[in-house]
Amino acid sequence: MAAPRDGAEETGTGESEGLRRRKKELVREASEPTAPESRGEAECGVSLLPGSFWLTRIVLLRAIAAIYFVAFLVAFQQNKQLIGDSGLLPCKLYLKNIKQYFGGKIGLEAVSHAPSLLWLLDWAHMDTHLDNIALVGLAISFFILVSGCANMILMVTLWILYHSLVGVGQIWYSFGWESQILETGFLGIFLCPFWTLSRTPQRTPPSGIVIWAFRWLIFRIMLGAGLIKIRGDRCWRDLTCMDYHYETQPVPNPLAYYMHRNPWWFHQFETLFNHFIELVVPFFIFLGRRMCLVHGILQVLFQVLLILSGNLSFLNWLTILPSIACFDDASLGFLFSSNKGSVKHQVSEIQAEKSAGGGPSKTYGCYVRQLVHLSLGVLIIFLSVPVVLNLLSSKQVMNTSFNPLKIVNTYGAFGSITKERTEVVLQGTSSSDPSDPGAVWEDYEFKCKPGNLTRPPCVISPYHYRLDWLMWFAAFQTYEQNEWIIHLAGKLLANDRSASSLIAVNPFYEREPPRWIRGEHFRYKFSRPWGTHASKGKWWIRKRIGPYFPPLNLPGLKKFFQSRSWPLPVSKRDQH
């Protein structure tokens, strides 16, 4: 009886091994290229099927990490000077005022008004906390950028850290891209497994709900931008806005200098193309895979054109990001190596195994993740209701959040176009009498904003100089609306090191500080290429409009500073 039993075992084992071999052959056959997307993929033996988003997730995570890295780098290099202990608008005073407004308690209302980890920390060391937040953010985002993998813990950490800066950033962090990076980063959390660090975590395939959430984001961004233009400045309707945009945008670059001189019909074409991209193309998302790919390609190319023609912070780079969700693995495969063992090869094997009816068995965690993603979808639908109503309203507002965590927001850009460029130029003098006709006034030069007529426009995108950006807004407002500019003037009267680090040239830095500083208002225009002024090396022509704020000295600013709890800077001249 033993012999037959052994034979049966051998037969059973042989059949089991045969089935396993056959399954492997099926997987291998399915992974071989049958209809490669490109000749290169066929030669390498790896082609990917449409409809999966493993590679899309890697590209999205790296793109999110890249944006975070730039944002935290800007924070590390500028936050102490802007919102630190001795900043132009100290966040410590901001938090104290919020606390006082809500009855002297740090409760839910106060935290909702300004969500930030800084509520929990010792405010006596605010500069250190700001640096630490930025450094941790830099480290995590760099790791994700290099590795191409992340988990929910890392992505939540990045989101909380940046939210902590936006919550206390005040006017410096008041622009649409701050809400946009938070909404984008929030969606990025749900791209990842909870704990695993792998570029292709087989038990955590990219969720279709999250992919559609990114598509919904780019749809709202572009449609919101298009509608605010049509409902806003008349020049968007009569197709003349591009006659002014290149010259009057916040921080022009060298290409804008030449683009400004294009003929009127070209500017009209640009405006029409802008309307097509923002008002028509977004609907391609809902018309199937091919049209969604067309949408992604057009949106990426459009944002690249904007990047080439101006310095709009990391806004355009950030806007490219959700468009990546329009591309599946088959369309992104060309970005990845096809070598055996590569990520692309792994995705091919995952697709083949799925086609053969295989794949990892579902666990309890899989069902939990599905429930989380479903809850995310319901949350986004719920929070989108006021956003959609805003899009449909004739009184549409842009760059607004209807929830304190900025999870789903309204967007828009350049609803109105300034027709003339004005600049505030800060000037200092060592003269004891500012009204003396013989007083010599010397200009302070900023990092990037127009000032010196012979300095070429800068190229800094995706980096961002927050002070330069706010100076553009200050130029068509008043100094009473921008008290921080008086704080800046007071610091420059003392040759303050932190304030001087925010500008390119302080003419008094290696000398005695100035006795007086004033703000002058100028109208700036591009010089004509190859014209008389350009032949003298001038990129700009300017004409004085009048004073922006009168000459100021430190003694005269004492009461102004005290009323705002700003410490009065001490000049070296006063120390002597």
Side-chain angles (χ1 to χ4, degrees):
M1 298 296 292
R5 185 171 63 248
D6 292 342
E9 288 176 359
E10 288 175 5
T11 303
T13 302
E15 289 177 353
S16 177
E17 289 177 354
L19 287 172
R20 283 197 295 269
R21 282 197 300 272
R22 180 57 182 158
K23 187 174 181 179
K24 288 181 179 179
E25 289 174 3
L26 288 172
V27 170
R28 192 182 304 112
E29 289 173 3
S31 65
E32 291 176 356
T34 55
E37 296 251 333
S38 68
R39 183 177 178 182
E41 288 187 354
E43 292 173 352
C44 295
V46 177
S47 66
L48 301 177
L49 302 173
S52 68
F53 298 91
W54 297 91
L55 300 183
T56 308
R57 170 164 61 187
I58 295 172
V59 177
L60 278 170
L61 286 175
R62 279 187 159 146
I64 294 171
I67 297 297
Y68 267 132
F69 185 85
V70 174
F72 281 115
L73 180 63
V74 172
F76 180 68
Q77 295 182 337
Q78 300 178 35
N79 272 1
K80 293 191 296 297
Q81 300 93 312
L82 298 175
I83 59 174
D85 292 323
S86 300
L88 297 180
L89 292 173
C91 62
K92 181 193 302 185
L93 294 178
Y94 179 65
L95 292 175
K96 284 182 178 179
N97 290 337
I98 294 174
K99 180 181 176 181
Q100 183 178 358
Y101 180 81
F102 289 106
K105 297 179 180 179
I106 305 177
L108 182 60
E109 289 180 321
V111 175
S112 297
H113 187 81
S116 179
L117 289 175
L118 293 173
W119 286 109
L120 308 175
L121 303 176
D122 182 5
W123 296 353
H125 306 285
M126 197 63 80
D127 283 357
T128 301
H129 298 325
L130 292 172
D131 275 351
N132 288 341
I133 288 173
L135 287 172
V136 174
L138 281 170
I140 295 176
S141 56
F142 181 76
F143 167 78
I144 298 172
L145 178 60
V146 172
S147 68
C149 60
N151 57 32
M152 295 184 79
I153 296 173
L154 293 179
M155 296 302 290
V156 167
T157 302
L158 285 174
W159 187 73
I160 291 175
L161 290 176
Y162 200 70
H163 223 311
S164 296
L165 298 180
V166 174
V168 299
Q170 303 160 81
I171 193 172
W172 312 108
Y173 282 78
S174 63
F175 299 99
W177 57 75
E178 309 298 353
S179 300
Q180 191 174 327
I181 192 175
L182 289 173
E183 180 171 352
T184 305
F186 181 78
L187 296 180
I189 295 169
F190 300 91
L191 280 172
C192 312
F194 179 77
W195 181 259
T196 306
L197 280 175
S198 170
R199 286 182 289 179
T200 53
Q202 294 194 29
R203 292 190 179 276
T204 315
S207 166
I209 292 176
V210 179
I211 294 298
W212 273 102
F214 277 104
R215 293 175 180 179
W216 175 235
L217 171 58
I218 188 60
F219 176 83
R220 288 183 288 110
I221 290 171
M222 301 311 296
L223 188 62
L227 291 175
I228 201 72
K229 291 180 176 68
I230 291 296
R231 292 166 175 159
D233 202 314
R234 180 183 178 86
C235 69
W236 287 114
R237 297 188 295 277
D238 61 25
L239 308 182
T240 59
C241 274
M242 298 307 293
D243 294 345
Y244 313 102
H245 167 73
Y246 293 112
E247 183 177 73
T248 63
Q249 64 178 307
V251 186
N253 68 6
L255 184 59
Y257 175 80
Y258 296 100
M259 293 290 287
H260 178 64
R261 295 299 177 184
N262 280 323
W264 64 268
W265 56 265
F266 186 83
H267 287 318
Q268 287 197 341
F269 170 76
E270 288 179 306
T271 311
L272 278 173
F273 181 68
N274 182 93
H275 292 332
F276 172 70
I277 290 292
E278 294 183 341
L279 294 171
V280 178
V281 172
F283 291 94
F284 290 5
I285 289 175
F286 308 106
L287 302 180
R289 177 178 180 265
R290 290 186 178 181
M291 293 304 290
C292 191
L293 289 174
V294 172
H295 168 275
I297 292 169
L298 288 175
Q299 294 296 359
V300 170
L301 290 177
F302 181 61
Q303 296 304 320
V304 169
L305 289 175
L306 296 178
I307 290 168
L308 293 175
S309 61
N311 293 293
L312 299 176
S313 178
F314 45 76
L315 173 62
N316 304 120
W317 302 82
L318 179 61
T319 306
I320 288 175
L321 203 156
S323 293
I324 296 171
C326 293
F327 302 97
D328 56 17
D329 292 338
S331 55
L332 291 178
F334 74 96
L335 295 175
F336 294 81
S337 168
S338 297
N339 295 332
K340 188 173 182 179
S342 65
V343 172
K344 184 176 177 181
H345 193 269
Q346 293 173 29
V347 172
S348 176
E349 291 183 338
I350 291 171
Q351 289 185 343
E353 191 172 6
K354 184 177 180 181
S355 299
S361 58
K362 285 196 172 184
T363 63
Y364 174 74
C366 293
Y367 295 106
V368 172
R369 279 191 294 274
Q370 288 178 356
L371 180 60
V372 169
H373 292 150
L374 184 62
S375 301
L376 171 67
V378 172
L379 176 65
I380 290 175
I381 292 172
F382 174 74
L383 294 178
S384 294
V385 172
V387 173
V388 172
L389 293 176
N390 177 70
L391 283 175
L392 299 175
S393 172
S394 60
K395 297 180 180 179
Q396 176 192 0
V397 293
M398 64 181 191
N399 301 327
T400 301
S401 298
F402 296 104
N403 59 90
L405 295 181
K406 303 182 187 297
I407 295 174
V408 179
N409 312 291
T410 70
Y411 299 103
F414 295 107
S416 61
I417 295 289
T418 52
K419 308 305 187 294
E420 291 184 336
R421 181 179 200 93
T422 58
E423 293 287 349
V424 177
V425 177
L426 301 186
Q427 299 177 332
T429 182
S430 297
S431 173
S432 57
D433 182 5
S435 59
D436 182 359
V440 177
W441 292 91
E442 300 179 65
D443 291 0
Y444 289 85
E445 285 292 328
F446 286 76
K447 300 274 189 181
C448 207
K449 90 174 191 70
N452 187 333
L453 304 181
T454 60
R455 187 178 71 171
C458 65
V459 178
I460 55 165
S461 178
Y463 194 79
H464 179 49
Y465 292 119
R466 296 189 182 276
L467 177 60
D468 291 51
W469 192 272
L470 264 295
M471 289 294 292
W472 179 75
F473 281 92
F476 50 82
Q477 297 172 342
T478 65
Y479 72 87
E480 290 91 348
Q481 296 170 288
N482 298 275
E483 293 184 346
W484 53 266
I485 200 171
I486 304 301
H487 198 180
L488 174 63
K491 287 179 171 291
L492 293 176
L493 281 166
N495 273 350
D496 179 80
R497 184 179 297 273
S498 67
S500 295
S501 70
L502 291 171
I503 61 177
V505 177
N506 178 349
F508 299 90
Y509 196 64
E510 298 297 332
R511 302 154 43 189
E512 286 290 311
R515 296 181 184 273
W516 299 88
I517 282 184
R518 69 183 183 185
E520 291 288 280
H521 211 184
F522 286 89
R523 182 177 294 109
Y524 271 65
K525 294 180 68 68
F526 276 138
S527 64
R528 185 173 295 277
W530 307 289
T532 303
H533 294 91
S535 66
K536 298 177 182 179
K538 293 182 178 180
W539 292 76
W540 296 96
I541 304 168
R542 77 181 186 184
K543 181 179 181 181
R544 184 176 182 272
I545 299 172
Y548 184 78
F549 61 79
L552 304 171
N553 63 3
L554 280 177
L557 289 174
K558 186 175 182 179
K559 289 184 178 179
F560 183 84
F561 275 51
Q562 286 177 345
S563 66
R564 287 152 182 80
S565 300
W566 296 340
L568 187 69
V570 179
S571 169
K572 291 181 181 179
R573 179 181 286 107
D574 296 336
Q575 290 178 338
H576 296 160

